[in-house]
Amino acid sequence: PAPYEEYALARAAIQAAQDADSARYVTAIYRRAEDNFRNGQKAFKDGDNLEAKKFFRNAIQLAEKAENMTKLKKFQSGDSFP
């Protein structure tokens, strides 16, 4: 079956990381999340559901990690309150 749930969750996780300004604070992790999401989109479009699911799950984990690390760095620097 097509990984619709993983697709939606990955897109939401990427958006949350973007909203937290992760591209600025943890650029490498955020870019890896975006790359996995794009690879998942390509696999999804090509009908490779297993590969798409793998990429989307990786994107979710990386985006959540990027968001959390960004929030921690902002808090530690006094830039924002969680």
Side-chain angles (χ1 to χ4, degrees):
Y4 295 113
E5 183 176 353
E6 287 85 356
Y7 189 106
L9 291 172
R11 184 171 48 197
I14 293 285
Q15 185 62 51
Q18 185 178 15
D19 291 346
D21 205 13
S22 294
R24 177 177 166 206
Y25 286 90
V26 285
T27 306
I29 296 170
Y30 178 73
R31 286 216 173 116
R32 284 178 49 212
E34 281 188 322
D35 289 345
N36 273 274
F37 183 69
R38 278 193 294 275
N39 289 335
Q41 286 178 310
K42 183 181 181 324
F44 185 81
K45 183 179 177 186
D46 293 344
D48 190 349
N49 294 332
L50 289 176
E51 198 68 13
K53 189 179 221 179
K54 181 186 84 168
F55 281 122
F56 289 143
R57 286 183 175 171
N58 286 340
I60 293 166
Q61 289 178 338
L62 289 165
E64 288 176 349
K65 182 177 182 177
E67 181 186 7
N68 290 333
M69 288 178 71
T70 298
K71 288 179 178 179
L72 179 62
K73 285 185 176 194
K74 283 181 170 183
F75 178 71
Q76 288 173 336
S77 70
D79 194 19
S80 105
F81 188 78

